[in-house]
Amino acid sequence: MPRVEFVNLSLNRLGGPIEIPQPWKMDRLRSLVLNNTKLEWYGVETLLQLLPVLEELHLSLNDYTHVLLDTTEEDANGCQTAEEPASGESESCQCSSFSTQSSQDKKHAVCKKTEAHHGIKKLHLTGNHISEWSEICRVGRLFPNLEALVLADCPLRSLTSAQNETNESNSAATPNSHEHFKTLTLLNLSNAKINNWDDIDRLAKFPALKN
């Protein structure tokens, strides 16, 4: 399918590893919809590597509680990935939110270091169970040229991480909420769990955000 520019695979159960067919050529695909597929983040990473011109990605309703890809070994939430995992092992997340999870959740919450993907301009995460802004900061690092981010129906409680709130008096202590979203013009927070006007004021700090 070398000429395909749009693919919608919603409602197909796509969990598990992705086997790359040979030969492979989809260098025109610009929009990929994977809503309610339960695709794991490692599968997302594989697809991003295979689709060099992808611009729009839909990952809604996939039951994500964390963003398990990052470009750094330690984020503002104290999340670290193992630098050199042993053969057959995955890089493990050691952030505070991970340590409070049940053993069953921990089995799936493994954070992997990867490269930034500069082509993605639009990302939809509607209806996932992501509640911490530190997870959204990972999205900003993964997709530094992001222009539209849809987080409708995600139970986000704040536009800053817990560590930012603790160190808010020292602005240099931790990254700001908007630091990783310099090109973001659209942010959809419909039906989130934000209940503080301070978070609404933080929206004014996103440099490119528009009405």
Side-chain angles (χ1 to χ4, degrees), residues 72-80 94-97 131-135 137-138 141 157-177 180 199 202:
T72 181
E73 292 176 3
E74 181 173 1
D75 62 18
N77 200 34
C79 178
Q80 299 181 1
Q94 302 169 8
C95 58
S96 57
S97 60
S131 60
E132 298 294 336
W133 188 255
S134 57
E135 302 295 324
C137 287
R138 291 180 181 173
R141 290 191 289 265
R157 296 171 292 188
S158 176
L159 295 188
T160 187
S161 68
Q163 187 172 354
N164 278 77
E165 291 177 348
T166 302
N167 298 292
E168 201 162 48
S169 60
N170 183 2
S171 60
T174 52
N176 292 313
S177 303
H180 306 294
D199 285 308
R202 288 186 179 99

Side-chain angles (χ1 to χ4, degrees), residues 116-209:
H117 299 276
H118 297 271
I120 298 293
K121 302 293 182 63
K122 299 178 181 179
L123 178 66
H124 296 251
L125 287 169
T126 296
N128 286 295
H129 308 304
I130 301 170
S131 60
E132 298 294 336
W133 188 255
S134 57
E135 302 295 324
I136 304 304
C137 287
R138 291 180 181 173
V139 169
R141 290 191 289 265
L142 279 172
F143 308 121
N145 295 324
L146 201 62
E147 296 177 0
L149 177 58
V150 181
L151 300 171
D153 298 324
C154 293
L156 286 165
R157 296 171 292 188
S158 176
L159 295 188
T160 187
S161 68
Q163 187 172 354
N164 278 77
E165 291 177 348
T166 302
N167 298 292
E168 201 162 48
S169 60
N170 183 2
S171 60
T174 52
N176 292 313
S177 303
H178 57 277
E179 180 176 324
H180 306 294
F181 300 95
K182 296 179 180 179
T183 60
L184 194 69
T185 60
L186 184 152
L187 177 61
N188 187 333
L189 293 168
S190 175
N191 200 29
K193 301 298 182 183
I194 295 171
N195 59 6
N196 191 319
W197 283 106
D198 289 340
D199 285 308
I200 305 303
D201 291 339
R202 288 186 179 99
L203 292 173
K205 297 181 179 181
F206 287 73
L209 207 60

Side-chain angles (χ1 to χ4, degrees), residues 9 14 32-37 39 47 57-60 62:
L9 295 173
L14 300 177
L32 179 60
V33 183
L34 297 169
N35 297 335
N36 202 3
T37 59
L39 182 67
L47 290 174
L57 181 60
H58 295 247
L59 296 172
S60 299
N62 281 333

